[in-house]
Amino acid sequence: MTSPALAAPTPTGARERPAAPGDLAIRTTGLTKRFGSQTAVDSVDLAVPHGSVYGFLGPNGSGKTTTIRMLLGLVTPSAGSSVLLGHPMPDQAGSALPAVGSLVEGPAFHPYLSGRANLARLDAADLWADPRTARTRIDAALDRVGLLAAATKRYRAYSLGMRQRLAIAAALLAPRDLLILDEPTNGLDPQGTREVRHLIGTLAEDGATVFVSSHLLSEVEQICTHLGVMSEGRLVAQGTTSVIRGSSAAVARVVTVEPDAAVRVLTALGLADVEAVALAGGLDGAFEVRADPGTRPPEEIVAALVGGGVGVRSFTVSIPSLEDLFVSLTGEGFDVGR
């Protein structure tokens, strides 16, 4: 479903800072939705800074789309409140929504009309759109998503990826202060996914806040300044991308055939969470000894191992991937790429 409105994005990366309450494009307090005895969204407190690219993440069924529908006034919350661009929803929807462009649950267009004609109908239904500039704005939106050459082609002949691009174009028919995109790369091939990633970046550079729901971690990690993670209806993590990534401790790994000695040395050095794990395939009885290095530099750890008589076959220090972090938060896997 597409929703006409108005917006203008902001610089990606330039806004990695805590947000004051008055600096939020989206703010929710205790936002909850129940369907009978089932709680789909449970007391969610979103804080989306103006000018951010906010990645809203979670497995299927975690409550992302229901939350988005409540933000846009398409679903009435069972409890809690939400504010878009400083306007309480849904009471001041008439003031907020003209500045919001959205793509929710996929595109819905007339199959017998062309892409351009479909956008013209949507634009004509927008009370805030200037009919005198309709053709110019429609062609600009089509061009921005790479569909200008297919503007006269009937929608029913569009591929799934082309339909998704047309839906994004519908959200760009007028300038927007806030864009809410639910799985905008759904159905796109790798090239189309890259193009949408670039588009989101340019929208942010133009000054808009972009709120994007996705399960493609590789895409989110490249474009988002802030993240929110949903699991079973709850917001289990929220903050700048750098802070959330930094919440995972680094792991030091040493491969050796003397695991007991390595464990003693690392423990004496003050490293935490030291454990030895047998390597698959045997590798001449080699083990991987893991530990949290804390603030100890790698060269100091290796020197202590060698000084303690431990034969070191390899040594690495790594930070858990974004996927590892989200699996630990949600207990479920994510699609990390296409």
Side-chain angles (χ1 to χ4, degrees), residues 31-52:
L31 195 63
T32 301
K33 182 60 184 179
R34 302 183 189 90
F35 296 99
S37 60
Q38 179 184 2
T39 301
V41 177
D42 190 359
S43 297
V44 167
D45 297 334
L46 288 174
V48 180
H50 281 291
S52 64

Side-chain angles (χ1 to χ4, degrees), residues 9 14 24 60 63 66 77 82 87 90-91 109 129 131 136 208 212 231 242 250 254 265 268 294 297 318 324 330:
L24 300 178
N60 290 334
T66 300
S82 61
H87 300 285
D91 294 347
F109 293 106
T136 300
V212 54
S231 178
S242 58
V254 55
V265 169
S318 61
D324 293 335
T330 69

Side-chain angles (χ1 to χ4, degrees), residues 152-175:
T152 59
K153 192 174 183 178
R154 290 191 178 185
Y155 178 78
R156 65 187 177 196
Y158 277 16
S159 67
L160 178 59
M162 292 170 71
R163 294 179 181 190
Q164 195 72 0
R165 293 185 196 200
L166 189 67
I168 296 173
L172 301 175
L173 286 173

